[in-house]
Amino acid sequence: MNIHEYQAKKLAREAGVPVPEGDVATTPDEAKAVAERLGDEGFVVKAQVHAGGRGKAGGVKLAKTPGEVKEHAAKIIGMTLVSPQTGPKGKLVRKVLVERAGKIERELYIGFVLNRSISRYVLTYSRMGGVETEETARLHPELILQEPVDPAFGLAAYQARRAASKLGLKGDSAKQAAEAIMGLWKVFANTDASLAECNPLAVMSDGKIVAVDAKIVFDDNALYRHPELQELYDLDEEDPREAKAKKADLSYVSLEGNIGCLVNGAGLAMATMDLVANYGGMPANFLDIGGGADKTRVSEAFRLILADETVKVIFINIFGGIIQCPMVAEGVVEAAREIGVKVPLVVCLKGTGQEKGRTILSSSGLDIHNVETMSEGAHKAVEMARTEALS
Ligand code: GDP
Ligand code: MN
């Protein structure tokens, strides 16, 4: 689960990470009022969306006066921010964070992630923080340093001090950075996060260390242990179809293509997407109805695909092992009756009850194209999507 920067900063502050003073605002006037509360000059206005790369996309603006804060907020609130992390459709900005801004001397990077290959959490850090970090990691991986964390003991204070020293810091700055690192570790560990980072962790012109940006991603599988964190969930930031799918207990990820895929089993769903791509097509979604799906769940899944206007053809690829093909067919027909289906269906039913399943679909009046293999199905779906897109 993702959260906003202002929420991450609140958690970070509580754990002892120094973050700038500020507050969130949903209107330009509110933004101005926050600035007036903070002081007379030197502010930053930052788009709050669940994506990074805001600086380069025009979502982070410095302002001298509260009046200027209001002007920037008026431009940023309501804009569709497009960065490499938002996807081509971008994200609508609904709120901004207004903070006191100082002069930055250097931008560092600190972050915690799980490194599965060594079965350790790692502190990752670099002198080269800021908006070019991804580029640095690619071109100069040697500038990204790591400190593995013993899961039983957690991050040791000496490790944080060592990292601060390797970041080129001395004296008070080094001490503050080590404390910031320890604080970030605390948030990361206590919230069962899968990522916690400050990029940049800034060295200000007066030598103070400040987390100018903060990002935390929680591990969904551990959320049941943190009811207080679930309140930070922002439904507005989720793809509405994905949110609906989550409620219906379906694994659904919406994608950019135009071939809707209804599949059972994550592996088969993945293989189906690969095959579609292999034939030159683009799936509109990843959708696994799961092994234990019943008719209601199937029709809910089918409805999700139908609600996607970009879908030109639907590829139903079911392997009936535990799941019964006739049940899937009935679920599809039920949803189709309610909503009406304007696009053709390519159907590959294999396994338990495949004949009966096919009969149910064929006699439903829907535009069905039965195929024998999933490869044939993917090929057919891609061809049909192409003709449908042209017509
Ligand atoms: P991101 O692009 O989404 O990662 O947003 P950031 O919060 O990291 O901001 C991008 C860049 O804007 C930072 O790397 C800084 O250079 C600059 N920036 C952000 N906040 C401040 C601030 O308070 N003061 C100054 N001087 N620059 C800032
Ligand atoms: Mn950043």
Side-chain angles (χ1 to χ4, degrees):
M1 180 180 120
N2 290 304
I3 57 172
H4 288 291
E5 176 193 4
Y6 74 92
Q7 298 168 319
K9 278 180 165 164
K10 184 162 179 279
L11 292 171
R13 178 187 287 131
E14 286 163 5
V17 180
V19 302
E21 270 181 89
D23 212 346
V24 70
T26 52
T27 66
D29 281 319
E30 251 177 67
K32 185 173 174 222
V34 172
E36 279 163 350
R37 263 205 311 277
L38 291 174
D40 340 307
E41 68 178 71
F43 308 100
V44 62
V45 185
K46 311 180 76 175
Q48 297 300 286
V49 287
H50 287 183
R54 298 162 302 164
K56 284 187 173 176
V60 177
K61 297 272 185 223
L62 292 169
K64 288 211 177 67
T65 61
E68 229 180 291
V69 166
K70 183 176 168 178
E71 280 170 33
H72 286 316
K75 283 190 199 120
I76 295 175
I77 297 170
M79 82 184 270
T80 299
L81 188 138
V82 184
S83 85
Q85 294 185 27
T86 61
K89 281 187 204 146
K91 281 195 159 255
L92 177 67
V93 181
R94 293 180 170 85
K95 19 186 178 185
V96 290
L97 173 62
V98 180
E99 287 181 335
R100 203 197 283 281
K103 192 167 172 326
I104 296 178
E105 192 76 37
R106 284 172 60 205
E107 301 198 2
L108 313 170
Y109 174 93
I110 60 168
F112 289 93
V113 283
L114 174 64
N115 182 338
R116 289 170 199 274
S117 62
I118 57 168
S119 309
R120 287 283 186 276
Y121 295 115
V122 285
L123 161 64
T124 306
Y125 62 102
S126 174
R127 291 168 182 242
M128 305 292 280
V131 295
E132 301 292 346
T133 308
E134 280 84 4
E135 198 61 9
T136 305
R138 203 170 59 80
L139 297 175
H140 297 286
E142 74 280 1
L143 294 177
I144 313 287
L145 304 177
Q146 296 205 334
E147 188 77 51
V149 181
D150 187 308
F153 298 105
L155 184 76
Y158 78 86
Q159 293 183 294
R161 286 199 295 271
R162 178 157 69 197
S165 151
K166 285 195 184 172
L167 286 168
L169 299 168
K170 297 205 168 57
D172 241 13
S173 301
K175 193 165 161 259
Q176 287 175 29
E179 279 165 14
I181 292 169
M182 285 309 288
L184 190 64
W185 162 255
K186 249 190 253 164
V187 185
F188 178 79
N190 292 346
T191 60
D192 287 312
S194 56
L195 169 84
E197 70 175 18
C198 298
N199 187 26
L201 179 74
V203 186
M204 307 308 282
S205 54
D206 60 1
K208 283 215 176 77
I209 300 294
V210 178
V212 158
D213 191 10
K215 176 174 177 174
I216 303 177
V217 181
F218 303 127
D219 180 349
D220 289 347
N221 295 313
L223 271 179
Y224 74 97
R225 307 208 295 193
H226 305 281
E228 77 289 356
L229 298 179
Q230 286 168 32
E231 285 166 20
L232 304 177
Y233 182 71
D234 185 351
L235 189 63
D236 284 340
E237 288 291 317
E238 304 291 316
D239 179 299
R241 282 191 294 273
E242 287 181 17
K244 218 180 209 177
K246 213 182 255 175
K247 257 199 197 145
D249 210 13
L250 296 159
S251 306
Y252 175 93
V253 182
S254 112
L255 301 165
E256 302 297 326
N258 59 7
I259 299 173
C261 300
L262 182 93
V263 190
N264 69 311
L268 190 61
M270 227 103 71
T272 305
M273 290 169 51
D274 280 353
L275 271 174
V276 165
N278 193 38
Y279 285 111
M282 272 277 275
N285 64 276
F286 168 95
L287 171 60
D288 169 17
I289 59 171
D294 57 7
K295 203 166 84 179
T296 323
R297 174 118 63 105
V298 172
S299 70
E300 193 56 44
F302 197 60
R303 260 183 226 129
L304 272 174
I305 297 180
L306 291 175
D308 185 347
E309 281 149 19
T310 53
V311 167
K312 297 279 179 235
V313 48
I314 299 173
F315 181 20
I316 299 178
N317 187 18
I318 299 294
F319 180 75
I322 297 167
I323 215 165
Q324 307 266 326
C325 291
M327 184 277 291
V328 174
E330 278 165 16
V332 166
V333 173
E334 190 178 283
R337 281 226 179 89
E338 271 172 43
I339 310 182
V341 187
K342 295 182 198 78
V343 297
L345 313 184
V346 175
V347 179
C348 182
L349 290 183
K350 287 275 163 196
T352 317
Q354 62 183 49
E355 291 311 327
K356 190 162 175 229
R358 280 185 201 176
T359 314
I360 294 169
L361 285 174
S362 305
S363 55
S364 67
L366 291 165
D367 182 7
I368 305 274
H369 303 259
N370 282 308
V371 293
E372 286 306 317
T373 67
M374 63 187 275
S375 173
E376 194 190 325
H379 196 172
K380 179 120 195 131
V382 172
E383 273 180 357
M384 293 178 72
R386 217 168 263 152
T387 18
E388 290 283 326
L390 292 176
S391 67

